[in-house]
Amino acid sequence: MKQLLVVVFSIWVFALHSCMFTEENLQDNVVQLEDLIYLSSNKVRLLARVVENNESINDHGFYLASDEEFNDPIIKSLGSKNTTGLYYSEIDSLSQTSDYYYKAYFSTSDNIYFSESKTFSTFEGVINNVSRTIGKDGEITKITGRNLTNDLSIKFGTTPAEITDRFGDYEVWVKVPKVQQGYKQPIIATMEGISYAVDTFYYETGKWTQLSNINNPPFFNGITFLNTHTANLSMGMYKDGTPNTQMYSLDLTTFQWTQTIVPSSIIPVEGAFSTPSGYFGSGSSEQIAIGQSLVYQLENGFYKYENGSYTTLPSTPFVSYASFAAEHNDIVYVLGGRDALYQPLKLFYKFENGVWTNMGELPFEYDTSTPSFNLGSEILLTNNNEEVWSFDFQTESFIRKNDFPTKISQEGIAQVVDNQLVYGLFILSNLVNSTDILGELQLEKITFPGDRNFKNISHFKKNSAIYIIRGSTEDNADEMEFWKFEPFEFNN
């Protein structure tokens, strides 16, 4: 009978011991949660305190789960602990914008103790800034934000970018990838399967191709006509003051040059105004030395070149040098320029239905040495003061715009390509830039690889390429260079 009592008592003690260890023991002031140390999108640092314990701690740590019942919890075990006091742990496998429950625990050989449970919500990953949005492939751009997720990935368009360095959850360094086409690429960030555009990257572009030279000494201050099939270069003066009496025509299909003689009835001039369709007039037939000054001998001829022939039109009621001309709806507008002493003119005329009309005085100084841009419904004109004026064809009026966004010089190129203003190659410069119509985004192009001491003779646009004819001002120059420039293509 005594043996039976002993066995029954032993079974009762063992059962009691087992029950005490497996049940959650919530004892005040035994283990307590402190405030969170850190919280982001994927990461949390938990802090707890063992307040009181008289036994050896075999394990301690935290439970974390997405539900209040702690089904299938994450258990962060920190192992044994010799003393009471604070302890912490970091869990970095969380999902952004999610709710979690957590509690602290420690266990002895006989018991497991839990704190009360609390909850927190992870933050959303946000990108605030991209340090560099203009540049070349291979360069580093820094992307900063807050709560950036562990799985953050970056693409430029559809091309993955390498994250070379990471600094916590607030900054990553990204190597700009090489793309095959498209100078403008959205920067796409993906965090936990959600993708969104955070900015736009503009690649430095500009493809230069040198074409066959023109076997003729360079001449300057000529005129250029352009139609569907040919580009024509004429007029102008050689360095020694001899007028150019040739018309150089480029077949835009074969890219072969041919030469024809300008009829003797046409007085060869330099600095004439012209339109791409073939109107041209005025200009200087020679420079006359009077004392220490050179005076232009200005002419008032006005002509139309079309389909290989010339038509003489009513003479201009003015004479000028380097006036600007534009054509819209069969109306030719002529403005600005210089007089015989190279002083500014503010003339403004139009030619319509065979009649010249004086439109009054130009509200600003302008000549063709500085850039102009034809936008279709309006013309943008820039002068040496970086002023920008708009001429509206519909209202035939001028509006003063904001100043040009960058410094400009003289005798450069200027075209509108893909709704961007492309300009540069000014005197003694090999730089080309582009800006949007509003002047808010300026992009440097790949530097011109040719001789910057050469001067521009002519340039014209076909499709998205600019063709440029350049020449040396040296006495022994015997040919002109011919270049193709694609401002938004990669120079691969």
Side-chain angles (χ1 to χ4, degrees):
M1 184 66 179
K2 289 182 179 180
Q3 289 179 339
L4 178 61
L5 289 174
V6 170
V7 170
V8 171
F9 178 76
S10 299
I11 293 174
W12 178 79
V13 170
F14 176 79
L16 178 62
H17 177 272
S18 299
C19 180
M20 290 177 61
F21 189 80
T22 56
E23 289 183 354
E24 296 185 1
N25 290 280
L26 302 176
Q27 298 187 16
D28 293 339
N29 300 323
V30 174
V31 56
Q32 296 177 350
L33 287 175
E34 302 286 345
D35 292 336
L36 296 179
I37 300 175
Y38 175 82
L39 179 62
S40 67
S41 56
N42 294 146
K43 186 184 301 183
V44 66
R45 294 194 188 106
L46 305 172
L47 181 65
R49 180 192 301 272
V50 176
V51 178
E52 179 182 341
N53 181 55
N54 297 320
E55 303 176 70
S56 176
I57 296 177
N58 296 330
D59 189 23
H60 69 297
F62 298 92
Y63 275 49
L64 185 140
S66 57
D67 63 291
E68 196 170 4
E69 290 74 30
F70 288 87
N71 295 312
D72 193 22
I74 297 173
I75 301 176
K76 190 69 172 181
S77 172
L78 301 177
S80 62
K81 182 175 175 62
N82 297 324
T83 63
T84 58
L86 293 172
Y87 66 90
Y88 75 95
S89 183
E90 181 177 290
I91 301 174
D92 61 2
S93 56
L94 310 181
S95 298
Q96 63 175 338
T97 61
S98 298
D99 297 330
Y100 289 94
Y101 297 86
Y102 67 105
K103 58 186 176 182
Y105 79 92
F106 74 86
S107 64
T108 66
S109 58
D110 297 326
N111 292 287
I112 181 169
Y113 301 95
F114 290 94
S115 69
E116 76 279 25
S117 64
K118 291 185 178 181
T119 186
F120 64 82
S121 298
T122 52
F123 298 126
E124 180 181 13
V126 176
I127 290 177
N128 296 326
N129 182 62
V130 180
S131 67
R132 177 194 293 267
T133 56
I134 300 173
K136 306 174 185 177
D137 61 88
E139 296 179 337
I140 298 296
T141 185
K142 301 175 183 178
I143 296 179
T144 55
R146 60 182 187 275
N147 309 309
L148 304 181
T149 62
N150 298 331
D151 69 340
L152 169 67
S153 64
I154 302 293
K155 288 183 177 180
F156 284 55
T158 59
T159 305
E162 177 188 355
I163 296 178
T164 61
D165 288 286
R166 178 163 187 147
F167 302 89
D169 62 359
Y170 62 89
E171 182 175 325
V172 292
W173 289 13
V174 177
K175 181 184 288 187
V176 178
K178 185 175 184 178
V179 297
Q180 297 303 314
Q181 60 183 1
Y183 75 97
K184 182 170 62 174
Q185 296 286 340
I187 302 175
I188 307 295
T190 300
M191 291 188 279
E192 296 186 1
I194 300 175
S195 300
Y196 56 99
V198 297
D199 214 319
T200 301
F201 190 87
Y202 297 87
Y203 282 85
E204 184 180 272
T205 55
K207 183 177 181 180
W208 294 94
T209 305
Q210 186 168 10
L211 306 176
S212 298
N213 288 351
I214 305 170
N215 294 319
N216 192 84
F219 53 89
F220 302 94
N221 303 317
I223 56 179
T224 303
F225 309 133
L226 185 66
N227 58 40
T228 305
H229 304 292
T230 60
N232 304 284
L233 174 61
S234 186
M235 299 288 143
M237 293 282 181
Y238 295 101
K239 186 181 179 185
D240 62 3
T242 304
N244 169 46
T245 58
Q246 301 281 331
M247 169 79 80
Y248 294 84
S249 298
L250 175 69
D251 187 305
L252 294 175
T253 301
T254 65
F255 275 80
Q256 298 297 312
W257 289 94
T258 57
Q259 292 177 243
T260 55
I261 300 293
V262 177
S264 58
S265 60
I266 308 294
I267 299 175
V269 293
E270 64 168 330
F273 66 79
S274 65
T275 68
S277 69
Y279 289 101
F280 67 100
S282 200
S284 170
S285 57
E286 64 175 320
Q287 295 182 31
I288 304 171
I290 300 179
Q292 300 297 316
S293 302
L294 286 175
V295 177
Y296 289 104
Q297 177 63 49
L298 300 178
E299 307 293 339
N300 67 346
F302 183 45
Y303 313 93
K304 176 72 180 290
Y305 175 79
E306 190 173 20
N307 298 324
S309 63
Y310 294 83
T311 302
T312 300
L313 299 171
S315 299
T316 62
F318 58 87
V319 291
S320 66
Y321 182 90
S323 290
F324 173 80
E327 183 183 356
H328 187 74
N329 292 339
D330 296 323
I331 303 173
V332 177
Y333 298 90
V334 181
L335 55 88
R338 300 279 177 166
D339 65 14
L341 298 176
Y342 205 70
Q343 295 302 306
L345 290 173
K346 292 187 175 182
L347 62 84
F348 179 30
Y349 284 81
K350 76 173 179 179
F351 181 77
E352 182 179 14
N353 297 323
V355 178
W356 284 101
T357 302
N358 189 343
M359 303 291 287
E361 184 176 271
L362 196 67
F364 57 96
E365 294 180 4
Y366 184 76
D367 63 60
T368 54
S369 66
T370 52
S372 63
F373 304 94
N374 191 331
L375 304 182
S377 62
E378 64 174 328
I379 298 285
L380 295 182
L381 304 165
T382 65
N383 59 23
N384 290 320
N385 298 321
E386 275 83 49
E387 295 176 346
V388 178
W389 288 82
S390 168
F391 175 65
D392 187 294
F393 287 115
Q394 185 69 32
T395 63
E396 296 183 335
S397 60
F398 295 92
I399 298 176
R400 174 75 161 84
K401 300 282 191 175
N402 294 332
D403 288 350
F404 204 68
T406 60
K407 186 172 180 58
I408 59 174
S409 187
Q410 297 182 333
E411 300 184 22
I413 65 171
Q415 292 288 344
V416 180
V417 182
D418 295 341
N419 294 317
Q420 301 284 311
L421 312 183
V422 180
Y423 60 95
L425 274 190
F426 298 117
I427 294 175
L428 298 178
S429 173
N430 57 3
L431 303 179
V432 180
N433 296 276
S434 69
T435 183
D436 62 325
I437 302 300
L438 298 176
E440 296 177 348
L441 176 68
Q442 293 82 51
L443 303 176
E444 291 185 4
K445 305 286 108 184
I446 300 294
T447 302
F448 173 61
D451 191 336
R452 69 173 189 164
N453 294 301
F454 283 25
K455 292 179 64 178
N456 298 315
I457 295 171
S458 174
H459 74 282
F460 58 90
K461 185 189 78 169
K462 178 177 172 57
N463 298 326
S464 295
I466 302 173
Y467 294 88
I468 307 164
I469 300 148
R470 289 170 60 84
S472 170
T473 58
E474 298 293 329
D475 292 334
N476 61 351
D478 60 358
E479 61 182 6
M480 293 177 279
E481 291 184 348
F482 187 31
W483 292 85
K484 178 182 180 181
F485 177 53
E486 299 166 276
F488 299 106
E489 294 296 324
F490 292 99
N491 195 29
N492 297 329

